[in-house]
Amino acid sequence: MDLKTNSYVVDNKDRIISVGSEWDAFAIENDAPGATSTHVLGREIWDFVEGANTRTYLFGVFQACRIEQQLFSILYRCDGPDVRRLYRLTIWPSPDDSLTIGSMLVHAITSPPHPTVSAFEEYYDTTRCSVCCAFQIGDKWIDLRTPPDADNFAKSYSICPTCKDAAQVEFARMKRKPNIIPLPLAKQ
């Protein structure tokens, strides 16, 4: 799946105005029929972003792309019950302040579902990083290979310090570039 087919466009008011050709297939394959194009088109992206810190992070990324007229690109995780996936998120701004947001699969590891582990209630606050999927346990962010019990799964989302730092590096790169990199054309 390439960036163009697994993409969507938000207008200058952050409403989803189009989705890539593989959007619906990905939603169905991942047991998310409520995320198909008929359910997302015309709605604000913020309807689908959980956690104030995650919304603030993504809003900042969108604003930086629009102001700098530069693409933003960073790795993120999108795991399922039996697969760990690493994607590259790339956001291209347009002069009309719309944004094309594309995701490309970089790596996936499939494995049978792991048994869950009980949460360490005195340490585990059920916050998960929206970018790298690490869990906050006490004051540390840890990538758990075995998910916590369903009752203790992520109840809130945030951005861990490592992912905030990675975004700052990307913002600095954006400011050094003289002009925007164009959206790749779909192969015919």
Side-chain angles (χ1 to χ4, degrees), residues 43-86:
R43 293 179 62 188
E44 286 187 2
I45 186 68
W46 312 117
D47 293 345
F48 306 100
V49 178
E50 190 166 331
N53 288 336
T54 303
R55 281 194 280 292
T56 300
Y57 170 88
L58 193 56
F59 181 81
V61 169
F62 283 7
Q63 291 306 99
C65 288
R66 288 173 171 137
I67 291 167
E68 297 295 331
Q69 282 296 292
Q70 293 291 323
L71 73 75
F72 177 89
S73 184
I74 200 161
L75 294 172
Y76 75 96
R77 291 260 303 278
C78 182
D79 295 349
D82 60 350
V83 65
R84 294 167 53 93
R85 293 180 292 236
L86 180 66

Side-chain angles (χ1 to χ4, degrees), residues 37-155:
S37 59
T38 58
H39 293 94
V40 301
L41 289 174
R43 293 179 62 188
E44 286 187 2
I45 186 68
W46 312 117
D47 293 345
F48 306 100
V49 178
E50 190 166 331
N53 288 336
T54 303
R55 281 194 280 292
T56 300
Y57 170 88
L58 193 56
F59 181 81
V61 169
F62 283 7
Q63 291 306 99
C65 288
R66 288 173 171 137
I67 291 167
E68 297 295 331
Q69 282 296 292
Q70 293 291 323
L71 73 75
F72 177 89
S73 184
I74 200 161
L75 294 172
Y76 75 96
R77 291 260 303 278
C78 182
D79 295 349
D82 60 350
V83 65
R84 294 167 53 93
R85 293 180 292 236
L86 180 66
Y87 280 89
R88 173 152 307 275
L89 170 72
T90 305
I91 302 173
W92 290 268
S94 295
D96 66 357
D97 284 339
S98 65
L99 301 170
T100 300
I101 301 145
S103 294
M104 183 172 68
L105 181 64
V106 174
H107 184 72
I109 299 172
T110 304
S111 62
H114 296 285
T116 60
V117 294
S118 295
F120 298 96
E121 292 189 19
E122 59 204 68
Y123 301 107
Y124 181 64
D125 75 358
T126 66
T127 298
R128 190 168 193 180
C129 179
S130 296
V131 177
C132 71
C133 292
F135 282 91
Q136 185 172 12
I137 298 177
D139 61 351
K140 298 188 189 290
W141 289 83
I142 299 170
D143 182 4
L144 295 176
R145 302 224 183 267
T146 304
D149 297 324
D151 290 342
N152 294 312
F153 201 69
K155 292 186 172 76

